[in-house]
Amino acid sequence: MTYLNMMVPGQSGRVVGFSDDSKMVRRLYELGIQPGRSIIYLRNAPFRDPLEVQVGYNLITLRKSEASLIAIEVDE
Amino acid sequence: MSNQNAAGNVISESTIAICGNPNCGKTTIFNAITGLNQRVGNYPGVTVEKVSGTFSVDSTNKHSFTLVDIPGTYSLSAFSPDEDIAVSALIGSLKDAKSPDGIICVLDATNLERSFAFLLQVIEIGRPIVVAVNMVDLVERRGLKINFEKMSQSLGGIPVVPVIGNRRVGIEELKKAAADLPNRKPITVGTNYGPEAEKLFERLVNESNNGHRNRAEYLRVIFDANSPAEERFLLEEPDLMEVLREGQSRIKEVHGSLSLTETAVLSEKAATLFQEIVTIVRPPKTRNSERIDRVLLHPVFGPIILLLTMIIVFQSIFSWSEPLMNLIDSSFSWLASQVEAVMSPGPLQSLLTDGIIGGVGSVLIFLPQIVILFLFIAILEDSGYMTRAAFLVDRLFRWCGLSGKSFIPLLSSFACSIPGILATRTIEDRKLRYITIMVAPLMTCSARLPIYAIMIAAFIPHKTYLGILNLQGIVLSSLYLLGIVVAVIVSFILKKVIFKTERGTFLMELPSYKIPTVHSVSIRVLNRAKSFLLRAGTVILAITIIIWALSYFPHDGKITHQFASQAETARFELKESTQIYSSRLDNFYESAPVDVRSAVDDIRESFSVGNNIEDFTLIRSQMNEQHNELYGPIEALYEIQRQELATETALTELKNLEAGAYLRNSLLARIGKTLEPAFKPLGWDWKITMAILAAFPAREVAIATIGTIYNLGTETDEESLSLIDKMRQARWDDGPRQGEFVFTPAVALSIMVFFALCLQCGATVVTIRKETSSWWYAWGTFTYMTVLAYVAALGVYQLLERFIY
Ligand SMILES: Nc1nc2c(ncn2[C@@H]2O[C@H](COP(=O)(O)OP(=O)(O)O)[C@@H](O)[C@H]2O)c(=O)[nH]1
Ligand SMILES: [Mg+2]
């Protein structure tokens, strides 16, 4: 298991859980980043932050600091 | 509510709110329903923009509805203070604001599962709801099939209307359904949040002493710990604190998390609904948007494309608008000359031509640029590219103390800082938002352009370096750059010293790319143009009239008297000195034979064609060649013409002196002269000082004032000089530099630098006050910018004056 911010562009995985219980986590959840869903790390912005991910059919952008809250099981 | 309309019919008014996730097409549908009947206001006492409009379903206007566009949120659980206000307006928990009589909930057909979770929350408000499923045109491409009847059934009989907002498909049906809302009963779907939460809900309802709250309000209190909603509740019901805390910790104990308990229930129910209602016909292909992102967000090409886009935008603002601006300019000149022709000279004529037409015309000339800029912003926003631009620049902006979300507000500020400041509402972090607001007015807005344009055209030499670098262009770009660089420094200082910001967030959805529609883009541009014209027609017009009055009065008749007698003398002298030539000519003519007479007539006619001394000299030598025997009459005619011309010039000069004397004697001049010493170190005479002080309420006034001052200060006849020429000829009328030209490149640069940095815009100050709910930020921004402007203008002038010019 790892965290979203540790992955590299192109990798995909499955959301396992969150490392805290804040408003931020709730918003992640509402945007579709929910345990059990698969997530694709698409790309970084210039200077490697923020990043773009795909969850289901949605494209979402978040910063590395926010990505570090999301625990991921990386696909082989 | 009901009142009487003009025809005496009783009309009823209901308020209907339109809500949905961000980018689901709320605004598009809102525009389609209300057209141009829109009004932007604020929620009472707070800073969140409230856009409302009206519509009616029958031509008799018996029932008119007020539609309110609620800012988009992903859930009713507010993430930022502003979301809290938007959500509260919808739920009805906002003080002083009536809760809506019905709700249009817009769902994004391509994102139904998430939309359902939101809808389930909205249903808890307990108001009649109609569901608009928008973007149904995209469903098929996505390989989905939606059963709308089933949707209505599963949602307890809620009316469901499929809509394609940007093509106005389904809008009439939606209007009808919305108009029917006040007659419908609210529905419930009985979402159950688990025994712990439900028990807490019941206890709160039973023990509360306010029976008017709806279930949605209680759910916010239960699940959003430490939120403004909870705070408000506890303020009203301090006795329930204990019950609430106990219940909340119970939920946390059982489910592991408070707020995720609600989201989990909602997502699960939404997923079930989705399965019942939507059939997946075939798996979706790779997202087009993702494919476009591969190019537009490419680490190398992405920034290049962004830069090119911005260059194109600014290039077009300047090049496309030019012909239109010239057209507006010449129409106003024409109008002024028409008015001058039909009216007799006097205060009223002067007010109309110099004051109103000159002043307003000099402002209206910017309409094309404003329209073009907002056209681009609307297209870039509607297409979905703006969010990508924010993504690309986020890191860079964070180094400067801002956020990628500051990009759109700052970009808009290049047109006008007011929409820019309003656009900061998407920044959740308060401090970051305030920093963005405080530097937004440093971006070069279009109201600064007129001053730049005229100063550069008049006083910056048209030189080219290395074949491509044009000095005028360099100066203009440097002024834009100056604003940006100062903004970076200021925001860095604000971040480090005053606000000490924590990290913000950049969590949002990148909307799918869409082709913007003519309708939605034109509505936005029209609304912008409308408010600009309104401003030109009110504030700017009023200031212009005041400035005109100050520079016209007291119109002391003694001055006219004095100059009239001088003019009389000049005319008399002319008569005296030409007398001898005329009588000689007459004598010659009378005694001459017929053919000589007609030759003299010819010569006379030839001379009448000339306009200036060169013409006359030329005609004289031509005539001498043709009629060398008529030397005497030719000389006489030439002398008469020459002297008449000299007198005419002298008379115009006198008129100018008279106008100048009036101006120097005016109230404006007296004020200006008093203030002049403070601005002399910047190189400004009293006229510039007054033009710039007058421009504090609105920058555009500067040009209008300069126009008024220099028009009044010079005789305007049909061959009047352009404003630029008048400025070029302006000289100091007293003091150590008397007789020297007022405007030098150093003075022009000092004026421009002052404009670049100063907050000369009353509307912006008021907007900052409104947006931050504090005069502190408004006057703070005003003060730092004004001080900076004065110091920078002083520095520029002194440096240039000493070392270069
Ligand atoms: N294809 C398609 N695009 C739409 C439809 N309705 C709105 N849009 C586009 O979706 C984008 C977002 O719409 P907007 O009204 O700004 O969304 P809001 O954030 O909910 O106010 C705009 O580019 C619209 O032109 C629709 O029915 N079909
Ligand atoms: Mg909108």
Side-chain angles (χ1 to χ4, degrees):
Chain A
M1 197 197 74
T2 179
Y3 289 93
L4 181 59
N5 61 325
M6 317 270 251
M7 291 166 64
V8 289
Q11 266 188 329
S12 61
R14 199 159 285 276
V15 179
V16 183
F18 303 105
S19 66
D20 79 5
D21 174 25
S22 57
K23 265 201 310 201
M24 176 72 68
V25 168
R26 175 168 181 149
R27 183 47 47 100
L28 287 168
Y29 204 106
E30 282 162 358
L31 280 166
I33 303 181
Q34 301 175 0
R37 297 238 180 137
S38 68
I39 190 167
I40 309 170
Y41 188 153
L42 292 173
R43 62 181 56 80
N44 293 318
F47 311 111
R48 314 200 56 225
D49 198 19
L51 41 106
E52 183 186 6
V53 300
Q54 179 168 355
V55 180
Y57 209 71
N58 296 332
L59 303 175
I60 287 164
T61 156
L62 67 175
R63 290 198 183 138
K64 287 244 151 114
S65 55
E66 289 140 18
S68 69
L69 302 174
I70 306 167
I72 306 280
E73 197 76 66
V74 179
D75 293 342
E76 290 312 313
Chain B
M1 243 193 282
S2 55
N3 47 20
Q4 302 236 308
N5 70 3
N9 303 329
V10 174
I11 53 167
S12 62
E13 283 177 35
S14 315
T15 305
I16 292 175
I18 181 162
C19 69
N21 288 162
N23 300 310
C24 68
K26 283 180 311 301
T27 305
T28 309
I29 292 179
F30 178 83
N31 286 341
I33 293 180
T34 62
L36 280 173
N37 303 319
Q38 298 182 13
R39 210 169 48 82
V40 179
N42 274 319
Y43 287 104
V46 290
T47 65
V48 174
E49 188 173 16
K50 172 180 176 172
V51 189
S52 55
T54 54
F55 73 96
S56 55
V57 271
D58 42 10
S59 49
T60 59
N61 270 345
K62 261 221 203 93
H63 301 278
S64 104
F65 296 88
T66 303
L67 195 63
V68 184
D69 190 7
I70 305 271
T73 60
Y74 290 107
S75 87
L76 295 189
S77 169
F79 192 62
S80 68
D82 291 342
E83 261 192 40
D84 172 63
I85 289 154
V87 165
S88 305
L90 185 62
I91 295 183
S93 57
L94 202 64
K95 242 195 233 149
D96 310 327
K98 196 167 145 281
S99 67
D101 300 303
I103 297 173
I104 299 176
C105 188
V106 182
L107 308 190
D108 176 352
T110 62
N111 226 326
L112 270 182
E113 198 172 332
R114 192 176 70 198
S115 304
F116 282 147
F118 180 70
L119 175 63
L120 288 170
Q121 282 190 306
V122 174
I123 287 174
E124 304 282 17
I125 298 171
R127 291 273 158 188
I129 296 177
V130 53
V131 167
V133 182
N134 193 30
M135 315 220 189
V136 289
D137 54 324
L138 302 177
V139 167
E140 201 174 327
R141 273 201 35 224
R142 290 281 308 271
L144 304 175
K145 210 170 144 38
I146 301 173
N147 186 339
F148 292 103
E149 272 154 44
K150 184 88 188 45
M151 187 188 297
S152 178
Q153 266 172 34
S154 304
L155 293 169
I158 285 187
V160 174
V161 185
V163 175
I164 305 173
N166 55 359
R167 284 195 245 138
R168 306 179 60 88
V169 175
I171 295 295
E172 283 311 310
E173 290 84 339
L174 184 61
K175 262 191 187 176
K176 285 210 187 75
D180 194 37
L181 279 177
N183 311 322
R184 295 183 74 96
K185 278 215 200 82
I187 57 110
T188 50
V189 290
T191 311
N192 189 313
Y193 299 91
E196 300 77 21
E198 294 300 335
K199 206 185 277 163
L200 177 57
F201 170 68
E202 258 162 49
R203 272 198 77 180
L204 291 178
V205 173
N206 292 335
E207 292 173 31
S208 137
N209 43 36
N210 174 355
H212 295 296
R213 279 193 206 94
N214 56 50
R215 186 164 145 93
E217 288 186 77
Y218 282 109
L219 291 172
R220 296 302 15 103
V221 174
I222 293 173
F223 290 115
D224 297 347
N226 307 320
S227 66
E230 190 198 67
E231 224 168 87
R232 275 194 299 268
F233 176 80
L234 288 177
L235 217 63
E236 283 174 40
E237 316 257 7
D239 305 339
L240 289 177
M241 166 94 114
E242 211 120 298
V243 178
L244 180 64
R245 290 277 176 267
E246 201 186 291
Q248 284 175 334
S249 46
R250 178 94 189 103
I251 299 171
K252 228 173 162 168
E253 236 168 69
V254 177
H255 299 276
S257 158
L258 187 62
S259 65
L260 289 189
T261 307
E262 185 190 16
T263 5
V265 169
L266 291 170
S267 317
E268 204 186 307
K269 191 151 178 170
T272 319
L273 276 171
F274 186 79
Q275 276 163 13
E276 280 172 24
I277 293 163
V278 181
T279 329
I280 298 177
V281 184
R282 54 182 162 74
K285 296 173 241 154
T286 330
R287 286 204 67 171
N288 273 343
S289 291
E290 205 273 308
R291 259 189 252 159
I292 300 173
D293 277 350
R294 268 179 224 172
V295 181
L296 294 187
L297 299 185
H298 187 276
V300 178
F301 301 134
I304 294 176
I305 293 169
L306 177 61
L307 206 66
L308 284 178
T309 310
M310 288 175 58
I311 290 173
I312 290 171
V313 170
F314 283 109
Q315 197 62 42
S316 334
I317 291 173
F318 291 107
S319 53
W320 293 3
S321 59
E322 207 177 300
L324 285 169
M325 292 173 81
N326 290 339
L327 186 70
I328 296 177
D329 194 22
S330 47
S331 340
F332 272 94
S333 306
W334 177 83
L335 190 65
S337 67
Q338 290 309 99
V339 171
E340 233 154 74
V342 298
M343 285 180 70
S344 53
L348 194 62
Q349 189 215 46
S350 171
L351 170 64
L352 275 175
T353 55
D354 301 326
I356 296 178
I357 298 177
V360 173
S362 58
V363 176
L364 281 190
I365 198 166
F366 298 101
L367 187 62
Q369 289 190 334
I370 295 211
V371 166
I372 292 172
L373 192 101
F374 279 108
L375 188 72
F376 275 108
I377 289 184
I379 290 173
L380 290 178
E381 251 178 12
D382 274 10
S383 66
Y385 184 66
M386 277 295 205
T387 334
R388 266 75 182 186
F391 175 81
L392 288 172
V393 302
D394 181 54
R395 190 65 254 237
L396 198 66
F397 272 48
R398 265 157 74 203
W399 275 321
C400 313
L402 298 164
S403 136
K405 290 186 182 172
S406 312
F407 179 74
I408 297 167
L410 293 182
L411 188 67
S412 309
S413 299
F414 278 103
C416 172
S417 58
I418 293 165
I421 289 168
L422 297 180
T424 60
R425 288 170 180 172
T426 49
I427 306 173
E428 291 96 0
D429 187 306
R430 277 260 135 160
K431 292 174 183 170
L432 258 178
R433 188 173 163 212
Y434 288 169
I435 296 176
T436 310
I437 288 177
M438 291 183 80
V439 299
L442 282 170
M443 301 298 115
T444 302
C445 67
S446 51
R448 284 173 171 111
L449 269 178
I451 275 283
Y452 292 175
I454 204 163
M455 290 290 160
I456 288 176
F459 305 109
I460 304 298
H462 208 302
K463 274 191 211 152
T464 309
Y465 302 104
L466 305 172
I468 46 161
L469 293 174
N470 170 303
L471 184 61
Q472 296 188 327
I474 295 173
V475 170
L476 187 63
S477 326
S478 312
L479 288 163
Y480 273 84
L481 207 63
L482 176 70
I484 297 172
V485 169
V486 172
V488 168
I489 298 169
V490 170
S491 53
F492 191 81
I493 294 172
L494 285 176
K495 177 195 164 132
K496 291 280 174 218
V497 181
I498 300 181
F499 290 104
K500 303 197 175 83
T501 52
E502 308 109 47
R503 305 201 125 90
T505 89
F506 199 68
L507 177 57
M508 59 185 175
E509 186 177 9
L510 291 172
S512 27
Y513 288 102
K514 301 210 167 66
I515 295 171
T517 58
V518 177
H519 185 253
S520 91
V521 169
S522 52
I523 279 204
R524 293 175 57 169
V525 173
L526 279 177
N527 277 330
R528 277 297 155 212
K530 216 167 80 180
S531 63
F532 173 78
L533 290 178
L534 206 67
R535 225 158 92 75
T538 53
V539 185
I540 295 169
L541 178 62
I543 302 171
T544 307
I545 292 175
I546 293 171
I547 294 292
W548 170 84
L550 284 176
S551 43
Y552 187 85
F553 294 108
H555 204 74
D556 189 348
K558 259 190 249 145
I559 294 174
T560 303
H561 233 70
Q562 191 186 328
F563 281 94
S565 70
Q566 285 189 34
E568 200 53 40
T569 318
R571 280 195 206 99
F572 182 74
E573 277 169 5
L574 174 70
K575 219 169 170 191
E576 289 266 280
S577 60
T578 51
Q579 182 98 53
I580 165 168
Y581 295 106
S582 330
S583 56
R584 241 191 252 161
L585 195 63
D586 287 349
N587 287 344
F588 177 83
Y589 194 79
E590 254 150 53
S591 56
V594 178
D595 56 331
V596 175
R597 276 190 187 190
S598 74
V600 173
D601 286 338
D602 275 353
I603 297 168
R604 200 191 295 269
E605 202 144 296
S606 303
F607 268 113
S608 70
V609 177
N611 281 322
N612 52 41
I613 192 73
E614 284 84 19
D615 287 356
F616 295 138
T617 322
L618 186 71
I619 293 166
R620 176 171 66 166
S621 60
Q622 280 173 353
M623 291 299 113
N624 273 327
E625 263 168 43
Q626 279 177 29
H627 311 275
N628 54 4
E629 73 291 351
L630 290 174
Y631 178 75
I634 292 172
E635 259 328 276
L637 278 167
Y638 170 77
E639 250 334 286
I640 294 172
Q641 292 287 0
R642 192 184 65 78
Q643 293 200 16
E644 271 177 8
L645 183 73
T647 311
E648 227 169 81
T649 317
L651 284 175
T652 313
E653 181 63 18
L654 270 179
K655 279 263 181 204
N656 278 340
L657 284 174
E658 178 183 351
Y662 271 118
L663 187 62
R664 266 195 305 284
N665 190 38
S666 69
L667 290 168
L668 191 80
R670 291 179 208 172
I671 303 171
K673 293 258 185 212
T674 320
L675 297 172
E676 200 181 65
F679 295 93
K680 231 176 192 159
L682 279 61
W684 305 354
D685 73 344
W686 69 265
K687 290 181 187 172
I688 303 175
T689 303
M690 284 318 287
I692 285 176
L693 290 183
F696 266 90
R699 290 186 180 92
E700 297 95 324
V701 172
I703 283 293
T705 310
I706 290 179
T708 306
I709 292 180
Y710 285 96
N711 270 331
L712 283 170
T714 47
E715 159 70 358
T716 44
D717 53 41
E718 61 272 29
E719 274 173 67
S720 74
L721 297 165
S722 72
L723 185 55
I724 287 185
D725 287 326
K726 287 179 190 163
M727 284 162 63
R728 278 185 182 144
Q729 290 172 10
R731 289 167 194 274
W732 287 87
D733 48 22
D734 56 10
R737 275 184 253 162
Q738 185 166 17
E740 285 176 37
F741 285 117
V742 174
F743 289 94
T744 62
V747 172
L749 280 168
S750 135
I751 294 173
M752 288 190 282
V753 165
F754 189 87
F755 261 75
L757 300 178
C758 194
L759 180 46
Q760 292 172 294
C761 182
T764 301
V765 175
V766 173
T767 309
I768 296 178
R769 156 74 182 88
K770 270 197 193 157
E771 288 302 301
T772 58
S773 305
S774 138
W775 281 113
W776 198 97
Y777 292 106
W779 290 121
T781 310
F782 176 81
T783 312
Y784 96 77
M785 285 182 66
T786 307
V787 170
L788 216 56
Y790 185 91
V791 172
L794 180 71
V796 163
Y797 177 72
Q798 295 294 343
L799 268 178
L800 289 178
E801 189 71 2
R802 238 159 254 188
F803 297 110
I804 301 182
Y805 294 106

